[in-house]
């Protein structure tokens, strides 16, 4: 038995989205009338152990983060390819298995290449 | 279901989950207290039972400090993004047969999508705070969450292969006729990968590097205070509940149990979720923190290859048997 995916089911998600958004914003909005508000300069500077912040906080960061982001896109698309394959595996048979082995093998080649290039090595 | 009954369901669901979140913090403090030979909260109410309520009221009345150099708009909406993303993924969780708000066929995919959206809230909070600690906390959290999201997504493909569906209720029903009514044994490798990835996804010890207080103060939430901080906190605990539920649904057989409990169908589901929650807390009381390079190395060099091997073996075995 497969549950029917009528739009009505998605209405629940939509309503929950709206509800949680209203919940979050209303609590913050109503809180304005109850909470303290006494800002002064020392309170409003960014935390740096009580000192005046030195330099811009948004400084340059390691290029590794970009590499991880690019690899994420590659592997996430792979995972998305695997989902429909896994769900319909029963109907597709051995052909699908061979196809997917090829796909995973090709991906492994790229994975090993990235590994050898030291992408996963955070420190030299 | 009409819109009105749906709204009623939503209100009940949200209230139950928020109470759960409040008391999860109580259990955490109590259990960790006991493990460290302390009493934990004792003052507010009998054995500190009203402590979570007191904490909630307190954070509601606390001043909401917004640093003057922060990006005002983004700083204000980042906690809301986190909370909305986490809360809306509750819609697809089946607590018992038919106890689900939206029984959609792409349930698992929806949950992944929403947990990826919650990462936006974290990284926006880190960036908009305009503070070094927040910035690095946000960057680290982002890289960690997306790395372990892949491992987690791949570890569940084995479950999808065996169940043949992404619908969470279907996955639970499909487990009914396997060994012990759960996929834990045939998918033990998948469960291993899932469990570690689950800890990293929810930023829990030993992978709580985004908020490593000894080096980053409090990570992305350093500049937050009052209710906005409480929202990150709620989002984090709803995330824990979510991951525990997915683990229960995909590996431990969901609401199935040795015998049916007549008046409260989700009994076994709740019990298994609490088992996971206890494991979360137990690990927090036991293990030290990982180093960042070790964390990324573990995710990419061990968990992802292991999850891929698990997929190949599961598919192979299935082709041999079926």
């Amino acid at each position: 038995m497969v549950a029917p995916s009528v739009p009505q089911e998605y209405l629940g998600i939509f309503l929950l989205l709206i509800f949680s958004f209203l919940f979050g914003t209303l609590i913050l909005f109503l809180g304005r009338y109850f909470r303290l508000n006494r800002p002064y300069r020392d309170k409003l500077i960014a935390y740096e152990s009580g000192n005046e912040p030195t330099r811009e906080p948004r400084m340059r960061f390691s290029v590794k983060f970009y590499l991880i982001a690019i690899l994420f896109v590659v592997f996430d698309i792979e995972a998305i390819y695997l989902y429909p394959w896994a769900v319909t595996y029963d109907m597709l048979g051995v052909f699908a298995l061979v196809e997917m082995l090829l796909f995973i093998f090709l991906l492994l080649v790229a994975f090993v290449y990235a590994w050898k290039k030291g992408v996963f090595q955070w420190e030299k | 279901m009409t819109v009105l009954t749906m709204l009623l369901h939503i209100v009940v669901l949200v209230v139950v989950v928020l109470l759960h979140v409040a008391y999860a913090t109580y259990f955490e403090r109590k259990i960790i207290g006991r493990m460290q030979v302390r009493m934990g909260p004792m003052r507010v109410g009998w054995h500190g039972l009203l402590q979570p309520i007191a904490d909630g009221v307190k954070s509601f009345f606390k001043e909401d400090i917004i640093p003057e150099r922060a990006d005002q708009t983004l700083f204000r909406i980042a906690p809301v993004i986190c909370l909305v993303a986490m809360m809306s993924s509750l819609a697809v969780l089946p607590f018992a047969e038919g106890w689900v708000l939206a029984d959609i066929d792409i349930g698992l995919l929806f949950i992944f999508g929403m947990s990826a959206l919650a990462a936006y809230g974290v990284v926006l909070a880190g960036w908009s705070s305009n503070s070094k600690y927040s910035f690095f906390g946000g960057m680290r959290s982002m890289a960690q969450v997306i790395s372990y999201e892949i491992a987690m997504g791949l570890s569940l493909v084995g479950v999808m292969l065996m169940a043949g569906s992404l619908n969470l209720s279907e996955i639970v029903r499909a487990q009914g006729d396997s060994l012990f009514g759960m996929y834990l044994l045939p998918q033990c490798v998948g469960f291993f990968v899932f469990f570690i990835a689950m800890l990293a996804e929810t930023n829990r010890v030993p992978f709580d590097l985004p908020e490593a207080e000894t080096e980053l103060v409090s990570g992305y939430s350093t500049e937050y205070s009052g209710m906005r901080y409480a929202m990150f906190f709620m989002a984090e605990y709803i995330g824990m509940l979510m991951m525990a539920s997915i683990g229960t649904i995909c590996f431990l057989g969901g609401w199935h149990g040795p015998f049916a409990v007549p008046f409260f169908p989700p009994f076994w589901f709740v019990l298994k979720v609490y088992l996971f929650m206890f494991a979360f807390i137990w690990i927090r009381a036991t293990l030290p923190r990982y180093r960042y390079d070790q964390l990324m190395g573990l995710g990419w060099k061990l968990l992802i290859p292991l999850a891929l091997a698990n997929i190949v073996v599961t598919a192979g075995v299935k082709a041999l048997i079926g």
Side-chain angles (χ1 to χ4, degrees), chain A residues 8-9 43 47 54 57 90, chain B residues 1 63 103 130 132 318:
Chain A
Q8 197 192 18
E9 298 286 353
K43 197 189 267 176
Y47 176 79
T54 54
D90 280 337
Chain B
M1 253 196 295
E63 183 175 358
D103 195 20
N130 215 342
K132 281 166 203 155
K318 223 184 153 191

Side-chain angles (χ1 to χ4, degrees), chain B residues 92-114:
Chain B
V92 294
L93 293 182
F95 297 98
E97 181 74 58
W99 284 41
V100 50
L101 183 67
D103 195 20
I104 57 175
D105 279 347
I106 53 158
L108 214 44
L109 204 60
F110 178 76
I111 284 178
F112 283 132
M114 280 299 162

Side-chain angles (χ1 to χ4, degrees), chain A residues 46-107:
Chain A
Y47 176 79
E48 211 163 300
S49 310
N51 296 325
E52 288 276 322
T54 54
R55 292 195 294 166
E56 268 293 295
R58 290 167 193 161
M59 45 189 154
R60 292 162 66 184
F61 52 88
S62 173
V63 72
K64 296 283 181 193
F65 285 108
Y66 290 101
L67 290 176
I68 291 292
I70 292 168
L71 275 175
F72 167 72
V73 173
V74 174
F75 275 85
D76 216 35
I77 288 174
E78 184 215 355
I80 294 298
Y81 270 126
L82 282 172
Y83 285 6
W85 168 77
V87 171
T88 52
Y89 185 66
D90 280 337
M91 298 169 231
L92 298 177
V94 182
F95 175 68
L97 178 66
V98 176
E99 284 274 275
M100 198 41 73
L101 283 179
L102 261 172
F103 178 64
I104 290 178
F105 174 74
L106 284 178
L107 209 106

Side-chain angles (χ1 to χ4, degrees), chain B residues 154-165:
Chain B
L154 292 178
S155 73
L156 289 173
V157 172
V159 172
M160 295 167 202
L161 269 171
M162 292 182 73
S165 177

Side-chain angles (χ1 to χ4, degrees), chain B residues 67-90:
Chain B
E68 57 185 352
R69 300 199 50 207
D71 188 314
Q72 301 290 321
T73 325
L74 287 180
F75 188 86
R76 280 162 205 266
I77 61 169
V80 183
I81 294 176
C82 250
L83 188 71
V84 169
M86 279 299 174
M87 263 173 131
S88 50
S89 47
L90 291 169

Side-chain angles (χ1 to χ4, degrees), chain A residues 1-6 8-13 15-17 19-25 27-28 30-32 34-41 43-49 53-61 65 68-69 71-73 75-76 78-80 82-90 94 97 100-101 104 107-108 111 115 120-123, chain B residues 1 3 6 10-11 13-14 18 60-69 71 80 83-84 87-88 90-92 101-106 109-110 112 127-128 130-133 135-136 139-140 143 146-147 149-150 153-154 157 160-161 164-167 170 173 217 222-223 227-228 231 234 292-293 296-297 300-301 304-305 308 311-312 315-316 318-319:
Chain A
M1 193 205 89
V2 178
S5 274
V6 285
Q8 197 192 18
E9 298 286 353
Y10 291 88
L11 185 66
I13 295 176
L15 287 175
L16 185 59
L17 260 173
F19 185 88
S20 45
F21 179 75
L22 285 179
F23 171 79
T25 44
I27 270 195
L28 288 175
L30 291 178
R32 281 167 74 160
F34 294 100
R35 62 184 173 229
L36 282 175
N37 189 21
R38 282 187 214 132
Y40 50 90
R41 205 189 152 267
K43 197 189 267 176
L44 294 181
I45 59 174
Y47 176 79
E48 211 163 300
S49 310
T54 54
R55 292 195 294 166
E56 268 293 295
R58 290 167 193 161
M59 45 189 154
R60 292 162 66 184
F61 52 88
F65 285 108
I68 291 292
L71 275 175
F72 167 72
V73 173
F75 275 85
D76 216 35
E78 184 215 355
I80 294 298
L82 282 172
Y83 285 6
W85 168 77
V87 171
T88 52
Y89 185 66
D90 280 337
V94 182
L97 178 66
M100 198 41 73
L101 283 179
I104 290 178
L107 209 106
L108 273 182
F111 186 73
W115 193 325
F120 309 131
Q121 196 69 42
W122 207 263
E123 278 169 47
Chain B
M1 253 196 295
V3 175
M6 235 173 217
I10 288 171
V11 171
L13 179 70
V14 168
L18 285 182
F60 184 72
F61 286 105
K62 277 282 173 186
E63 183 175 358
D64 184 26
I65 303 167
I66 296 170
E68 57 185 352
R69 300 199 50 207
D71 188 314
V80 183
L83 188 71
V84 169
M87 263 173 131
S88 50
L90 291 169
V92 294
L101 183 67
D103 195 20
I104 57 175
D105 279 347
I106 53 158
L109 204 60
F110 178 76
F112 283 132
W127 189 81
S128 67
N130 215 342
S131 152
K132 281 166 203 155
Y133 300 109
F135 183 68
F136 282 114
M139 289 306 294
R140 277 187 179 191
I146 62 176
S147 297
E149 181 132 326
I150 297 166
L154 292 178
V157 172
M160 295 167 202
L161 269 171
S165 177
L166 287 175
N167 184 319
E170 283 299 313
R173 276 181 218 122
V217 190
T222 302
E223 299 295 335
M227 207 57 215
R228 277 178 224 275
M231 278 181 159
M234 277 193 264
Y292 198 70
D293 57 319
M296 297 310 259
W300 286 96
K301 291 180 187 167
I304 290 176
L308 280 175
I311 293 169
V312 172
K318 223 184 153 191

Side-chain angles (χ1 to χ4, degrees), chain B residues 254-312:
Chain B
W255 63 78
H256 289 312
F259 54 89
V261 179
F263 300 107
F264 189 56
F267 177 79
W268 295 107
F269 181 85
V270 173
L271 196 71
K272 287 166 187 172
V273 166
Y274 270 94
L275 205 70
F276 266 103
M277 297 295 279
F278 181 73
F280 271 118
I281 296 168
W282 191 6
I283 287 169
R284 180 174 166 192
T286 313
L287 295 179
R289 187 174 293 133
Y290 255 62
R291 220 172 54 215
Y292 198 70
D293 57 319
Q294 291 173 330
L295 168 90
M296 297 310 259
L298 178 73
W300 286 96
K301 291 180 187 167
L302 179 72
L303 295 185
I304 290 176
L306 210 58
L308 280 175
N310 181 45
I311 293 169
V312 172

